[in-house]
Amino acid sequence: MSATTIGALIGGAIDSMSGDDSAADGAIKGAIVANVLKFVLPLAVTYAVGWAVLRGATELKARAFGDGGEG
């Protein structure tokens, strides 16, 4: 199953728990959220890993060459 289908199923199930209307609008919202997360989540993970690597490289440089606070 694709993420869009799973999002639609989950959104529809959550929306149908309220019981005041059909689950179709919840399924549409769930599908939209799933598609947005397919784009945003990998972007956020890539940014976080890049930030951690940059911070680690800066720390390693500071340990190897000193803190550079001279002058």
Side-chain angles (χ1 to χ4, degrees):
M1 282 187 162
S2 76
T4 305
T5 305
I6 293 172
L9 290 173
I10 292 172
I14 290 172
D15 191 44
S16 68
M17 289 194 304
S18 65
D20 51 341
D21 60 353
S22 72
D25 56 338
I28 292 170
K29 290 176 188 174
I32 291 170
V33 169
N35 281 324
V36 168
L37 286 178
K38 278 195 303 189
F39 174 74
V40 172
L41 199 58
L43 189 66
V45 169
T46 302
Y47 178 81
V49 169
W51 179 81
V53 168
L54 183 62
R55 185 173 169 106
T58 303
E59 180 69 26
L60 186 62
K61 178 184 164 201
R63 286 187 184 183
F65 299 113
D67 62 358
E70 301 167 7

